[in-house]
Every structure is written in C-alpha cells, then in structure tokens.
Amino acid sequence: MLRTHTCEELRIKDVNKKVILAGWVQKIRELGHLTFIDLRDRYGITQITLSTDINPNLLEQAHTIQREYVVQITGTVRERENKNPHLSTGDIEIMAENIKTLNPSHTPPFTIEDNTDGGEELRMKYRYLDLRRNPLKNNLILRHKLALETRKYLDSLNFLEIETPFLIKSTPEGARDFIAPSRMNPGTFYALPQSPQTFKQILMVAGYDRYFQIVRCFRDEDLRADRQPEFTQIDCEMCFVEREDILQTFEGLIKHLFKAVKNIDLPVFQRITYEQAMNDYGSDKPDLRFDMKFVHLTEILKNKGLSVFDTAEIIIGIKVKNQATATRKQIDEWTEFAKSPKIGASGLVYIKYNEDGSIKSSVDKFFTEEQLRTALHAAHSQKGDILLILAGEKIKTLRRMGQFRLYLADYLKCIPQDISACLWVLDFPLFEYDEEEQRWVSMHHPFTSPIGDLSGNIAGLKANAYDMVINGSEVGGGSIRIHNKPIQKKVFELLGLTEEEAMKQFGFLMNAFEYGAPPHGGIAFGLDRLTAIMCNTDTIRDVIAFPKNNAGKDIMIDAPSEVSDKQLEELGLVFKASLNSKN
Amino acid sequence: MLRTHTCEELRIKDVNKKVILAGWVQKIRELGHLTFIDLRDRYGITQITLSTDINPNLLEQAHTIQREYVVQITGTVRERENKNPHLSTGDIEIMAENIKTLNPSHTPPFTIEDNTDGGEELRMKYRYLDLRRNPLKNNLILRHKLALETRKYLDSLNFLEIETPFLIKSTPEGARDFIAPSRMNPGTFYALPQSPQTFKQILMVAGYDRYFQIVRCFRDEDLRADRQPEFTQIDCEMCFVEREDILQTFEGLIKHLFKAVKNIDLPVFQRITYEQAMNDYGSDKPDLRFDMKFVHLTEILKNKGLSVFDTAEIIIGIKVKNQATATRKQIDEWTEFAKSPKIGASGLVYIKYNEDGSIKSSVDKFFTEEQLRTALHAAHSQKGDILLILAGEKIKTLRRMGQFRLYLADYLKCIPQDISACLWVLDFPLFEYDEEEQRWVSMHHPFTSPIGDLSGNIAGLKANAYDMVINGSEVGGGSIRIHNKPIQKKVFELLGLTEEEAMKQFGFLMNAFEYGAPPHGGIAFGLDRLTAIMCNTDTIRDVIAFPKNNAGKDIMIDAPSEVSDKQLEELGLVFKASLNSKN
C-alpha cells in the first residue's frame, strides 16, 4: 500500500494515528531544525513537519527534495500549534518519521499556482503541469459532475444512452467533414460525425422513445476564436412529443444541473421569438443579464433633414443609464468602435439628457429640441441618461447595434457576473440565404420541421426550432423533425439537391420514414460551452483536458504529423504535393 | 400532447380513465363486431379494443391499418373480460373512441418478433426494424444500465471521467491506426486512438489520481469473426497503487455490475498465473465454468515404445466423466476435429476406464495395463470415465488441447449457461516473439511495468500485468505502468526502436516522467464483450446499435463511400489507382 490517506483526509480526530501519505511537494520551508513541506494531491494539501528531534537524517534528506517531487511520507498525525483556518487539514500536521522520493522532478518551466507565470504556448506543451493548477483541475472536476448529473437526470426520465458510430458517411450538406480512408474498401472513406443527427432519428424510428448520448463530434472548419475541431455534445431525442414537451424536459435538465453542481435555483426561462430577439437585441442569442433593449426611432427621427437618417431603412437607439456625463473622449472611443471593421457602422449619434434637464446631441442642428425629447421619451430616458443611435439597412443595423450593445455593456462593466440569464429563442426562419454559396441553406439543418406547410415565399418560412441561450451564448439548439418522406424530399429540393443526390446521401433515412416513423424531436447541447459558462471562464480550452490550439494542433503530442510511407501505401493514397516534387 | 401514458403504464387502478396512447401496431385481430389491436412501444404492449357499439366508423377505419403503422388512440381504460397474465397490462384494455394514423408503414421485409425470419444482411440494411425486436432492444437497455452503473460506482470511489482527444498522433507500435488527413496542416494526418493509453498516463502525471472514461477506440485490422473497427472501452487509471489495489477495485466494479444489472452475487474471483493457465487449460483465458483440467502424462507415458509419444516434448490428457461409453463413431468425430487444420494435432489417443473395471485404449499394444492404469490414476479417473490424450511440441500441444477442451465441452453440452466464472490471470510474459514480424513485441503494450529489472533472458521477463477473464473471454486487461524514463527507454530499445524513433513517438510521455510522475496503473474493459456476456449472446453485433459487417461496412447508410473530388482536392490527396487510370 503506497498511502493510507489522501492529502485532504486527516483531521484533529486522527491525532496520533500512524499514516502514510504520498503526493507532490508544493512548497518547502526550512526553519532552523525544522523543515515544513506542503504535500499536495488532487484532494488537498497536508503539512508535513520534519524535525531533527525525530530523525536527524530527515532534514539532510529533505535538502535533496524540490518543488513537484513525488514523495511518500510515513509519520504520525499531530495537532498543529499554529493552525491554518484556510486549509481543511489546517488543524493538523504529520510528524515525519520517514520520507522517500518516489520520483524526482525537473524544475517546472512555470509556477504551479492559481495564477501562473507561464505563457499559453508553454502551458499547452507541458499540459500535464498546467493541469495540476487548481483552476483547470476544478473545471475538469465540475465537468465530470455535470456529465454524471446529466446522465442521472435523463436516466430518471427513461432516456437511454445509446452509442452511435464514429465511422460514418460523408455528406456535403452542412460543415466540412473530417474523413478517414478505408483500407479494406480502397477508394472509399469514412467520415467522422458532425453530430449523430440521422442516427438518433433512426433510433426514434426504431422505437427507442427517448435517446441521449454525451458524444464527441467533429468539424473540419477554419478555427475561429474558441472553436475546436472536436467538441462534445449532449445529444437528445424523444418521440411522440411536441415542442412544449421538449422545452419543459430540457429546461428541467439545465435547472437540475445548476442546482446539483452549483446549488443555484434558476427561475423559469424567458421565451422570445427569433424576430423579437433580432428587433430588441440585434442577436439570436441575446445576453439578458443586462437590459439595454433597442428603441426603434425610425418614425420619430426619419425624414427630418439628417441625410444618414433619411436614407436609412431603420434608426435604432439604446439608452444607457447615468452616462450623460460621458466625456468627449469616451464618446469618441465608442464611435471609433462602432465604425471599426468589426462593427462597420458609418457613425454613432448621441442625445444626452443632462442632470439639469437640458439636452445635448451630436445632431442638434438637424432636429428641434422637441423631436429629440420625443426620442428620449420613447426610450423612457431619465435625467442623466444618454441615448446612442445607429441607422442604416435593417438587418445590418440590427446586428451592428447588437454587437455595439455587448461592447458597451462590457466597457461600462455593467454585466453582472453572478447571475445566469437563461432563455429560449423560438420560431427561427427555416432557411437563410448564404451569400458565399449563393443559395438558400437550412438555418439549423435540413431535418428541421417547418411550421405550417412549405408553400409561400422561402424567406418567410418558419422552422419548429428552438435554441437555449445562457448569458449570450447559444448552449443548445434543436427542433421538431420532419418524419415523413414527401416533406423531407421537398426540403432537399428547396435546398437545391437533385432527387438523386438526396437519395444517395439520405435515402436510408427517407426509406426509414416509410416504415412507421413516429413524430419526434430533440435538442443538442454544447457540453464544452455549457461547462465554460458554469466555470465562469471565457474559453472552452479551459474546460477540455487536451485541447487543440488555433491551428488545430496538439502541441504536447505533436499532432497532426506525418505518417509512414507504408501507411499511405496500404491506403493507396498519395499527396499531390509529393507527386509534383517527384516529377 | 401526443400521449398521456406509455403502452406499459396502465393497470386495473386506472379503469375509467380517459387516455391517449401512441405506438406501433404489433397485431390486429378482427372478431365480428370487435377488432383488437396490440399497440406496442418501447415499454410494453396494451390491448386496444374497437367496437361498433362505440363508434361504427372505427372498424372501417381499422381496416386501413396494418402491422407497424404508427397510430394514436383516444379511449377509456376498461377491465378485461379475458385477462392475460403474461402481460403487465393484461388486466385492462382501452375501449377506443378515436383512432388516428400518425404514419403508415410498408409491410416490413421480415417479422418484428423475438425470433425473426429475416437474414443477417437484410436485418442490417433495415437495422431500424431489427432494433424494434425485443432481444436487441433488451440488450441495448442492459448496455445503458451497465454504463450508468459503471459511472456511478467509479464516481463513488472518486474516479473522474475525463474526455481525451480523438484526433491524435499515429504511432506504428501496436495495431494499425485509422488516420484522418489534416486540411489545415497539409501533408499531415491525425490518427484515431486505439486507446487513450498515453493520455490517461499523462493525467496521472498531472495528479488526477483516479481517471476513467467510457470511450470509443479504433483499430484498422482485418476483421476476424466478431471484431469491429470501432469498439468501446471502460478505460481506467489510478495513481499511488500497487497491483492488489487495482484487482480489488475492479473486481468490486464487476461484482457491482452483476449485482445491479442482473441481481447476481459473484463469489471472490479465482487468481491464476499465466503459466498455470497455460499448463492447466492451454489458454490465457480459460473457461472455468467447467473442469477438464489437463493431466500431465509425459513422465508416465513417454519412452514406452509409442513413437509419437517418445518424440513428443509433452503428453497431456483430459479426463471426461462418464464418457467411457463413447462409441467408435463419436471418438472418430473427436479425432477428426483434433486433426482438423483449426487444431492441427496429429492424432488423439484414448484410454477408457469401463464401468466393469476393465480398460480399453487405442494404444493397448504399446503399453502394459499397469502403465495405462497409472495414467488413469494420475487423472483421478473413476469407472466410466475416459482419458483423451494429445502429444507433441510443448506450447503447440497445450494450445491444441486448450481448443480441444472447449470443443469437447461444447460437444458434450457440459458448459453451464447459468453461472459466470470470473478470474484474474496474472504474471504475463513481458514480451512475446512475433513470428510474422520476426521480432519481440510487447504482450500487452510497451508501457507495462516489468516485474523486477530488465536484465536476463528477454523470453523470461515477466510483466506486472493482469487480465480479467469471464467464461473464457478476456473482458479486461491492464498493468502497473512504467513511470520512469530510463526503464521506458530500455523497453523501447528491447522492442527494437531507435532512441530517435522512441522520442519522436513517445517523447512527450517520457519527458512527462521527468516532472514528478507518480507510480500508477490501470485497466481497460471491453464494454461490447462485457455486455454480450451479460446478455448471454455470442456476438457483440447484438449489443451495438449500428455495427459494421465483416467487411467493415455499414450497409444501412452505405459507408464507407466515395467522397467528392472537391474534398480530396482540399486535402491535397489523390488515389494511386485513379492516377494510373488517368495516365
């Protein structure tokens, strides 16, 4: 037996017990004829005391020991003279009788402390050292609990966790697939799943009633900030349900998780349509931890002589409380951000409602005071508030104001960090126009059921889809699915697939719909994002044990990397680049 | 709301309740002015009764409904006149007031019954129909429970489930990897993990103390019977442990699973060394549900004049109880099997100890009766028993007898189906000689710790490794790991890797060993096999929702398949075959 207790286990009741502990040396302090070691493991820290009184050799031995050495201590539990109330084991110490180095350690390239001095790249390379730090360790422990509580909750509701395959078929619809060549079937590839979507629908056709899976998914996309090529979903599907059944069930899941893991009671989730979210917050995932709802000012301020307003499709403002005192410099800074390429507005207009009741605006000469007061009134402004205004093309201006709203809330530090604003966004459009591909694409995916039938203007079709948003992040999304072949065929047709293409890619699903497919629907949560929100961290890299960097590389193990010629030979593959160089 | 209850929920106490049920039509019977429908869902079956008394249109409507239609029934619960004690809902029926077809069904290509008439290929293509059958459904439900109970048990022992990456680095040591080309890093590949071995060891170095993961693994091997290219492991690792800690912990896990899922109390697991297992049963995964332990007869029967014995390295027998009455025809059949290419013995010798006390043997003329009686005595034979004997080269003969033992037990139907024989096999050789590759390879994997040091004859080195065997299947295996760089380097050297190759492939792990790596060890269970054993099925395809066939294909979705030229173009890849055809 290498240890009798962990480094977090011993208490005052254990005094006089003979124990063996093992762990890492967090700290060593020498004080004359005493040496103190803070011994650390995953569970906690226990103070080890070496004294010349007990064994004169011990201190000499301790000289050879350094930070992060793995040592085994044999000794007796003793009550401390100077107790440490910040440590759960702070009432006791171990009087060491023996100390054994189980494995030495080089000096770590950065400090193993809550706030480390290591740069990102260095910490990724020595991930095993970075993972020793409390913030990462606590995140991974929370992630473990989150996954387990998810499973317990869904099991209690008769959901079955069923594993679906990772080696599947590539389908061009959607994001780009990772593919893996098949050696046994030369010339063909498996694809790694972007989600188990079609399999979970097949399981509904097979009558499994309630399915879930916590499952890895893959997308070969250029990595934007905080995206990973592999990510984890809580993937769920139910049959014989309508939208309301799903919203209730999964609002319940998230409430359970916040309660079980963070002891937080969430209130009933708000519900808002996609259209309302866009009109009020310029986003389909509004952050409702703070207000700053848009004020629509088009009728009040258009056609009054200011040309940027008069030519605008829409004029919208946000009222900011108590910021009439904003300096010229601050307003310039905000304006600059609004005009930056990231936002792309042509300018920012303000109307200040000063504390003394007077009004000051950047467009005073184009409007009467009454017109400006009407605008302030529409925004329910009070003395001391400021109204900030953007104008232009409708959709673009809404999105710009949405981003500006987030910027400003962050700038003014008015986003409360201790609340979680959870909501459902409903009634998404079924399709959106992809400017790059010059065609209509599914806003969620092609298996989403329309609300009503598929006649009428394609832009106006609504989907029976829903997203769950927490603190401005989309943590989950889903829909009631199509479960009959003619509607599914029609959707593929609207997406521009020929019948042949549709059948080749999704024929198995459409055929399954002809053998007694029940009405069904589901949802998938991003576990990485959900965990990051519950851990109060901005980056999902902090909640993944071994993340890739922004170039899709794991720099600890050095992947991806070259493979042997023999491996390529067996797969019958050649790199074009190597062909050219050989010619 | 599409239903108020499932098809397994209603009981006599619910009589007179107005309910809505939805499900699949299992059976329709027409009896004059009554029609009965057995309505099925995942949970059970409820009888629906349609009567002309209630609604004359109902029976006409029911005429259009067929097997596997999805229907919704509105009606009232009523006590049945003819109760069905075999059905949990057998005391009641639903008097239908309304019936609605939610989705029709083509006639299934095979019957959805416990024993179906569908062939394997057809059932794979229509997997969603095959999965509706009770045997497969019950297997997947058991698998769900098994996974959940595993998680609960390990969580209760402070294990953390931590996800490791799927896009990793290819390492030629071990089986063949599946690889996925990286678009962002042209010329390089990710590999799919054969197991999370190095990552779990890194987590031990990072101090996570107790790790587990139920995780998909991949091996691109030619598929022998009942192998899948993707399979699921219960992967576990602990630090500050010795072998005994691991055996106790995971014997506990398996006992817990049998109790929780099957309500079976397993006795303490037997322990046997690799050497003993080979000597006594000719296998490193002996099936101990039955006896037939080998009797070593070399000293008794060698050099007595029978040349096949006199030239043999080893002579072994198995005693079979009460088979002295075996006919000539039976013995010929056994002999034929022993001589078949699968076994490869040169012949089979028998000694019968007849009920009347006389002896009859196939080699009477080469031995005195006393010699034969000594052999029978060594096998503790009693009147009525038969002793069957093979002779030859040591290892080959042990293995042959091992296979013959399994054949004979199956032939004689003496393998009890209602017990589970669990054991640990210990002290494996560290290396074994690979005839094909003409070099020494690791018997488990190169991270396995040796028992003692690495000096001495390579063939004689023992590993601190252990396998768990149930009913003759290896369900799990693991080892205490190497945790220091010099020993790890030495093992790679013995495996024939240059220092450069070793560092290129496993440098990150060996470097990690220099930053305070704790002693650690672990185990991995094959979840597919374990589930199959607990489901009493011979093939793991019956416990996997969407298995591949023996050619590695998913014939329902048609994977693997060709990908578009654009996809290959983006990856910079060409197939050699297509190059040649273009030239």
Short mmCIF file of all heavy atoms in Angstrom, two decimals, chain B residues 146 149-150 153 247-271 420 422-424 468 470 525 530 534:
data_model
loop_
_atom_site.label_atom_id
_atom_site.label_comp_id
_atom_site.label_asym_id
_atom_site.label_seq_id
_atom_site.Cartn_x
_atom_site.Cartn_y
_atom_site.Cartn_z
N LEU B 146 -25.62 -0.79 -17.71
CA LEU B 146 -24.26 -1.19 -17.40
C LEU B 146 -23.34 0.02 -17.39
O LEU B 146 -22.53 0.21 -16.47
CB LEU B 146 -23.80 -2.19 -18.48
CG LEU B 146 -22.73 -3.20 -18.16
CD1 LEU B 146 -23.10 -4.00 -16.93
CD2 LEU B 146 -22.57 -4.14 -19.36
N GLU B 149 -24.28 2.33 -14.38
CA GLU B 149 -23.84 1.78 -13.09
C GLU B 149 -22.32 1.83 -12.97
O GLU B 149 -21.79 2.02 -11.87
CB GLU B 149 -24.34 0.34 -12.94
CG GLU B 149 -25.82 0.22 -12.63
CD GLU B 149 -26.21 0.90 -11.31
OE1 GLU B 149 -25.37 0.97 -10.39
OE2 GLU B 149 -27.35 1.38 -11.22
N THR B 150 -21.62 1.64 -14.07
CA THR B 150 -20.17 1.77 -14.06
C THR B 150 -19.78 3.18 -13.61
O THR B 150 -18.93 3.38 -12.75
CB THR B 150 -19.59 1.52 -15.47
OG1 THR B 150 -19.92 0.19 -15.86
CG2 THR B 150 -18.08 1.69 -15.49
N TYR B 153 -20.62 3.78 -9.87
CA TYR B 153 -19.71 3.07 -8.98
C TYR B 153 -18.34 3.76 -8.93
O TYR B 153 -17.79 4.01 -7.87
CB TYR B 153 -19.55 1.62 -9.46
CG TYR B 153 -18.60 0.79 -8.63
CD1 TYR B 153 -19.04 0.16 -7.46
CD2 TYR B 153 -17.27 0.64 -9.00
CE1 TYR B 153 -18.17 -0.60 -6.70
CE2 TYR B 153 -16.39 -0.13 -8.24
CZ TYR B 153 -16.85 -0.75 -7.10
OH TYR B 153 -15.98 -1.50 -6.34
N LEU B 247 -6.68 -4.82 -8.50
CA LEU B 247 -7.51 -6.04 -8.54
C LEU B 247 -8.73 -5.88 -7.64
O LEU B 247 -9.85 -6.21 -8.03
CB LEU B 247 -6.69 -7.27 -8.14
CG LEU B 247 -5.45 -7.60 -8.97
CD1 LEU B 247 -4.92 -8.99 -8.63
CD2 LEU B 247 -5.71 -7.51 -10.47
N GLN B 248 -8.52 -5.35 -6.44
CA GLN B 248 -9.65 -5.17 -5.52
C GLN B 248 -10.69 -4.21 -6.08
O GLN B 248 -11.89 -4.47 -6.04
CB GLN B 248 -9.16 -4.63 -4.16
CG GLN B 248 -8.31 -5.59 -3.36
CD GLN B 248 -9.08 -6.80 -2.87
OE1 GLN B 248 -10.30 -6.81 -2.86
NE2 GLN B 248 -8.36 -7.85 -2.50
N THR B 249 -10.20 -3.06 -6.60
CA THR B 249 -11.12 -2.03 -7.07
C THR B 249 -11.99 -2.54 -8.22
O THR B 249 -13.20 -2.32 -8.25
CB THR B 249 -10.32 -0.80 -7.55
OG1 THR B 249 -9.47 -0.37 -6.47
CG2 THR B 249 -11.24 0.34 -7.96
N PHE B 250 -11.37 -3.25 -9.15
CA PHE B 250 -12.12 -3.60 -10.36
C PHE B 250 -12.83 -4.94 -10.26
O PHE B 250 -13.81 -5.17 -10.97
CB PHE B 250 -11.23 -3.45 -11.59
CG PHE B 250 -10.88 -2.00 -11.78
CD1 PHE B 250 -9.66 -1.49 -11.36
CD2 PHE B 250 -11.82 -1.13 -12.29
CE1 PHE B 250 -9.39 -0.14 -11.47
CE2 PHE B 250 -11.56 0.22 -12.41
CZ PHE B 250 -10.33 0.72 -12.00
N GLU B 251 -12.38 -5.81 -9.36
CA GLU B 251 -13.22 -6.95 -9.02
C GLU B 251 -14.50 -6.40 -8.39
O GLU B 251 -15.60 -6.88 -8.68
CB GLU B 251 -12.47 -7.86 -8.04
CG GLU B 251 -13.18 -9.15 -7.76
CD GLU B 251 -12.28 -10.19 -7.07
OE1 GLU B 251 -11.07 -10.22 -7.38
OE2 GLU B 251 -12.79 -10.94 -6.23
N GLY B 252 -14.34 -5.36 -7.59
CA GLY B 252 -15.50 -4.68 -7.00
C GLY B 252 -16.45 -4.12 -8.05
O GLY B 252 -17.67 -4.23 -7.94
N LEU B 253 -15.88 -3.52 -9.08
CA LEU B 253 -16.72 -2.96 -10.15
C LEU B 253 -17.57 -4.05 -10.81
O LEU B 253 -18.79 -3.91 -10.96
CB LEU B 253 -15.85 -2.26 -11.21
CG LEU B 253 -16.57 -1.88 -12.51
CD1 LEU B 253 -17.63 -0.81 -12.26
CD2 LEU B 253 -15.58 -1.40 -13.57
N ILE B 254 -16.90 -5.15 -11.19
CA ILE B 254 -17.63 -6.20 -11.91
C ILE B 254 -18.68 -6.86 -11.01
O ILE B 254 -19.80 -7.14 -11.45
CB ILE B 254 -16.64 -7.24 -12.48
CG1 ILE B 254 -15.68 -6.57 -13.49
CG2 ILE B 254 -17.37 -8.41 -13.14
CD1 ILE B 254 -16.36 -5.94 -14.70
N LYS B 255 -18.33 -7.04 -9.75
CA LYS B 255 -19.33 -7.58 -8.81
C LYS B 255 -20.52 -6.64 -8.70
O LYS B 255 -21.68 -7.08 -8.69
CB LYS B 255 -18.71 -7.77 -7.43
CG LYS B 255 -17.88 -9.03 -7.31
CD LYS B 255 -17.35 -9.13 -5.89
CE LYS B 255 -16.63 -10.46 -5.67
NZ LYS B 255 -15.90 -10.46 -4.39
N HIS B 256 -20.22 -5.35 -8.62
CA HIS B 256 -21.31 -4.36 -8.53
C HIS B 256 -22.21 -4.43 -9.76
O HIS B 256 -23.44 -4.39 -9.65
CB HIS B 256 -20.74 -2.95 -8.38
CG HIS B 256 -21.79 -1.88 -8.48
ND1 HIS B 256 -22.64 -1.58 -7.44
CD2 HIS B 256 -22.16 -1.08 -9.51
CE1 HIS B 256 -23.49 -0.63 -7.81
NE2 HIS B 256 -23.21 -0.30 -9.07
N LEU B 257 -21.60 -4.55 -10.94
CA LEU B 257 -22.39 -4.56 -12.18
C LEU B 257 -23.29 -5.79 -12.26
O LEU B 257 -24.47 -5.70 -12.61
CB LEU B 257 -21.46 -4.49 -13.40
CG LEU B 257 -20.70 -3.18 -13.57
CD1 LEU B 257 -19.76 -3.25 -14.77
CD2 LEU B 257 -21.65 -2.00 -13.70
N PHE B 258 -22.73 -6.96 -11.91
CA PHE B 258 -23.56 -8.18 -11.94
C PHE B 258 -24.73 -8.07 -10.94
O PHE B 258 -25.83 -8.51 -11.23
CB PHE B 258 -22.72 -9.43 -11.65
CG PHE B 258 -22.13 -10.03 -12.89
CD1 PHE B 258 -20.97 -9.51 -13.46
CD2 PHE B 258 -22.72 -11.13 -13.52
CE1 PHE B 258 -20.42 -10.05 -14.61
CE2 PHE B 258 -22.17 -11.68 -14.68
CZ PHE B 258 -21.02 -11.15 -15.22
N LYS B 259 -24.44 -7.46 -9.79
CA LYS B 259 -25.49 -7.33 -8.79
C LYS B 259 -26.54 -6.31 -9.25
O LYS B 259 -27.74 -6.58 -9.21
CB LYS B 259 -24.86 -6.88 -7.46
CG LYS B 259 -25.84 -6.79 -6.30
CD LYS B 259 -26.38 -8.16 -5.93
CE LYS B 259 -27.45 -8.07 -4.84
NZ LYS B 259 -28.09 -9.38 -4.62
N ALA B 260 -26.07 -5.14 -9.69
CA ALA B 260 -27.00 -4.05 -10.01
C ALA B 260 -27.83 -4.36 -11.25
O ALA B 260 -29.00 -4.00 -11.33
CB ALA B 260 -26.23 -2.74 -10.20
N VAL B 261 -27.22 -5.02 -12.23
CA VAL B 261 -27.90 -5.19 -13.51
C VAL B 261 -28.59 -6.55 -13.61
O VAL B 261 -29.64 -6.69 -14.22
CB VAL B 261 -26.90 -4.98 -14.67
CG1 VAL B 261 -27.55 -5.26 -16.01
CG2 VAL B 261 -26.35 -3.55 -14.65
N LYS B 262 -27.99 -7.59 -13.00
CA LYS B 262 -28.55 -8.93 -13.14
C LYS B 262 -28.95 -9.56 -11.81
O LYS B 262 -29.40 -10.70 -11.78
CB LYS B 262 -27.52 -9.86 -13.82
CG LYS B 262 -26.90 -9.30 -15.10
CD LYS B 262 -27.38 -9.97 -16.36
CE LYS B 262 -27.10 -11.44 -16.42
NZ LYS B 262 -27.72 -12.03 -17.63
N ASN B 263 -28.74 -8.83 -10.73
CA ASN B 263 -29.02 -9.34 -9.39
C ASN B 263 -28.30 -10.66 -9.11
O ASN B 263 -28.85 -11.58 -8.49
CB ASN B 263 -30.53 -9.49 -9.17
CG ASN B 263 -30.86 -9.59 -7.68
OD1 ASN B 263 -30.11 -9.06 -6.85
ND2 ASN B 263 -31.94 -10.27 -7.35
N ILE B 264 -27.06 -10.74 -9.57
CA ILE B 264 -26.25 -11.93 -9.33
C ILE B 264 -25.13 -11.57 -8.34
O ILE B 264 -24.45 -10.57 -8.52
CB ILE B 264 -25.63 -12.44 -10.65
CG1 ILE B 264 -26.71 -13.05 -11.54
CG2 ILE B 264 -24.51 -13.45 -10.39
CD1 ILE B 264 -26.23 -13.44 -12.92
N ASP B 265 -24.96 -12.39 -7.28
CA ASP B 265 -23.85 -12.21 -6.36
C ASP B 265 -22.69 -13.07 -6.83
O ASP B 265 -22.76 -14.30 -6.75
CB ASP B 265 -24.26 -12.63 -4.94
CG ASP B 265 -25.23 -11.64 -4.34
OD1 ASP B 265 -24.81 -10.50 -4.07
OD2 ASP B 265 -26.41 -12.01 -4.15
N LEU B 266 -21.63 -12.46 -7.29
CA LEU B 266 -20.47 -13.23 -7.74
C LEU B 266 -19.59 -13.59 -6.55
O LEU B 266 -19.43 -12.79 -5.64
CB LEU B 266 -19.64 -12.41 -8.73
CG LEU B 266 -20.23 -12.14 -10.11
CD1 LEU B 266 -19.26 -11.29 -10.92
CD2 LEU B 266 -20.53 -13.44 -10.85
N PRO B 267 -19.02 -14.80 -6.55
CA PRO B 267 -18.06 -15.15 -5.50
C PRO B 267 -16.72 -14.46 -5.77
O PRO B 267 -16.53 -13.86 -6.82
CB PRO B 267 -17.92 -16.67 -5.65
CG PRO B 267 -18.24 -16.94 -7.08
CD PRO B 267 -19.22 -15.88 -7.52
N VAL B 268 -15.81 -14.55 -4.79
CA VAL B 268 -14.46 -14.00 -4.96
C VAL B 268 -13.83 -14.58 -6.22
O VAL B 268 -13.98 -15.77 -6.50
CB VAL B 268 -13.60 -14.35 -3.72
CG1 VAL B 268 -12.15 -13.93 -3.93
CG2 VAL B 268 -14.18 -13.67 -2.49
N PHE B 269 -13.16 -13.73 -7.01
CA PHE B 269 -12.58 -14.20 -8.28
C PHE B 269 -11.38 -15.10 -8.02
O PHE B 269 -10.56 -14.82 -7.15
CB PHE B 269 -12.10 -13.01 -9.12
CG PHE B 269 -13.21 -12.18 -9.69
CD1 PHE B 269 -14.51 -12.23 -9.19
CD2 PHE B 269 -12.96 -11.32 -10.75
CE1 PHE B 269 -15.53 -11.46 -9.72
CE2 PHE B 269 -13.97 -10.53 -11.28
CZ PHE B 269 -15.26 -10.60 -10.78
N GLN B 270 -11.28 -16.18 -8.78
CA GLN B 270 -10.08 -17.01 -8.73
C GLN B 270 -8.90 -16.21 -9.28
O GLN B 270 -9.08 -15.28 -10.04
CB GLN B 270 -10.27 -18.25 -9.60
CG GLN B 270 -11.31 -19.21 -9.08
CD GLN B 270 -11.31 -20.50 -9.90
OE1 GLN B 270 -10.28 -21.15 -10.03
NE2 GLN B 270 -12.47 -20.84 -10.43
N ARG B 271 -7.70 -16.60 -8.88
CA ARG B 271 -6.50 -16.00 -9.46
C ARG B 271 -5.59 -17.11 -9.94
O ARG B 271 -5.44 -18.12 -9.26
CB ARG B 271 -5.76 -15.16 -8.42
CG ARG B 271 -6.55 -13.96 -7.97
CD ARG B 271 -5.72 -13.11 -7.04
NE ARG B 271 -6.52 -12.02 -6.51
CZ ARG B 271 -6.01 -11.02 -5.83
NH1 ARG B 271 -4.70 -10.96 -5.60
NH2 ARG B 271 -6.78 -10.05 -5.37
N SER B 420 -21.38 -17.62 -14.00
CA SER B 420 -20.35 -16.78 -14.60
C SER B 420 -19.05 -17.06 -13.86
O SER B 420 -18.95 -16.82 -12.66
CB SER B 420 -20.71 -15.30 -14.46
OG SER B 420 -21.93 -15.05 -15.12
N CYS B 422 -15.54 -16.02 -13.17
CA CYS B 422 -14.67 -14.85 -13.28
C CYS B 422 -13.33 -15.14 -12.64
O CYS B 422 -13.26 -15.70 -11.55
CB CYS B 422 -15.29 -13.66 -12.56
SG CYS B 422 -16.95 -13.28 -13.10
N LEU B 423 -12.26 -14.75 -13.31
CA LEU B 423 -10.94 -14.96 -12.72
C LEU B 423 -9.96 -13.92 -13.20
O LEU B 423 -10.19 -13.22 -14.19
CB LEU B 423 -10.41 -16.35 -13.07
CG LEU B 423 -10.13 -16.65 -14.53
CD1 LEU B 423 -8.88 -17.53 -14.64
CD2 LEU B 423 -11.32 -17.36 -15.13
N TRP B 424 -8.88 -13.80 -12.45
CA TRP B 424 -7.76 -12.96 -12.84
C TRP B 424 -6.63 -13.86 -13.34
O TRP B 424 -6.32 -14.85 -12.69
CB TRP B 424 -7.22 -12.16 -11.65
CG TRP B 424 -8.12 -11.08 -11.15
CD1 TRP B 424 -8.87 -11.12 -10.01
CD2 TRP B 424 -8.33 -9.79 -11.72
NE1 TRP B 424 -9.54 -9.94 -9.84
CE2 TRP B 424 -9.22 -9.09 -10.89
CE3 TRP B 424 -7.85 -9.15 -12.87
CZ2 TRP B 424 -9.65 -7.79 -11.16
CZ3 TRP B 424 -8.27 -7.86 -13.13
CH2 TRP B 424 -9.16 -7.19 -12.29
N MET B 468 -8.65 -9.81 -16.80
CA MET B 468 -9.84 -10.39 -16.19
C MET B 468 -10.55 -11.23 -17.25
O MET B 468 -10.77 -10.77 -18.38
CB MET B 468 -10.80 -9.33 -15.68
CG MET B 468 -11.95 -9.94 -14.90
SD MET B 468 -13.26 -8.78 -14.51
CE MET B 468 -12.49 -7.83 -13.21
N ILE B 470 -13.86 -13.77 -18.07
CA ILE B 470 -15.18 -14.28 -17.68
C ILE B 470 -15.63 -15.29 -18.74
O ILE B 470 -15.66 -14.97 -19.93
CB ILE B 470 -16.23 -13.16 -17.54
CG1 ILE B 470 -15.76 -12.08 -16.56
CG2 ILE B 470 -17.58 -13.74 -17.09
CD1 ILE B 470 -16.76 -10.96 -16.33
N PHE B 525 -11.61 -2.30 -19.84
CA PHE B 525 -12.58 -3.38 -20.12
C PHE B 525 -13.19 -3.17 -21.50
O PHE B 525 -13.44 -2.04 -21.90
CB PHE B 525 -13.71 -3.37 -19.09
CG PHE B 525 -13.27 -3.74 -17.71
CD1 PHE B 525 -12.88 -2.76 -16.82
CD2 PHE B 525 -13.21 -5.06 -17.32
CE1 PHE B 525 -12.46 -3.09 -15.54
CE2 PHE B 525 -12.79 -5.42 -16.05
CZ PHE B 525 -12.40 -4.42 -15.16
N LEU B 530 -18.19 -7.36 -22.58
CA LEU B 530 -18.79 -7.49 -21.26
C LEU B 530 -20.32 -7.49 -21.36
O LEU B 530 -21.00 -8.31 -20.72
CB LEU B 530 -18.32 -6.33 -20.37
CG LEU B 530 -18.76 -6.35 -18.91
CD1 LEU B 530 -18.22 -7.57 -18.18
CD2 LEU B 530 -18.30 -5.08 -18.19
N MET B 534 -23.06 -10.51 -20.47
CA MET B 534 -24.19 -10.33 -19.55
C MET B 534 -25.53 -10.50 -20.27
O MET B 534 -26.55 -10.75 -19.62
CB MET B 534 -24.09 -8.98 -18.84
CG MET B 534 -22.88 -8.98 -17.89
SD MET B 534 -22.65 -7.44 -17.00
CE MET B 534 -23.88 -7.62 -15.72
#
